[in-house]
Amino acid sequence: MTLPDPTPAAPATGGSTDTLTALEEVYAQIKRVRRDLRPSDRIVQDLEIDSLATLEILLGLEERFGVSLVDNPRAAGVTTVGDLVALLDELRAARPS
């Protein structure tokens, strides 16, 4: 018997902790402030990230994980930290090994 893959639950819980930790590190580099991020944090309103900082964070995450976020149309619909972590986890899982 195989156990169900826990990945589908990731978006509801905010994604994997290593992805969230990486996002916190990139956020700290760009904003120059350490902060524990929560999946419910709204990127623009709660984290006070403007369009330039958003681009810098996306580029930093692309470099770190080897995925494409800036050119991904789904990235435009990301509004919360949980949304971004879920998208990153999905893109990382879809990457060829």
Side-chain angles (χ1 to χ4, degrees), residues 24-82:
E24 288 174 342
E25 291 169 3
V26 171
Y27 174 83
Q29 288 174 338
I30 303 302
K31 293 294 282 184
R32 307 233 187 270
V33 63
R34 283 245 170 242
R35 177 180 173 159
D36 290 331
L37 301 180
R38 298 180 312 257
S40 62
D41 285 335
R42 295 170 299 169
I43 294 170
V44 174
Q45 297 89 343
D46 298 331
L47 302 181
E48 299 177 0
I49 297 176
D50 61 20
S51 58
L52 180 59
T54 298
L55 181 59
E56 291 177 298
I57 289 171
L58 293 178
L59 290 170
L61 292 168
E62 282 185 347
E63 183 177 317
R64 185 162 199 156
F65 292 117
V67 298
S68 178
L69 287 168
V70 174
D71 295 332
N72 189 317
R74 292 184 42 219
V78 168
T79 58
T80 67
V81 167

Side-chain angles (χ1 to χ4, degrees), residues 82-96:
D83 294 341
L84 181 54
V85 169
L87 178 58
L88 279 166
D89 285 342
E90 184 179 321
L91 293 172
R92 290 172 63 198
R95 239 185 357 198

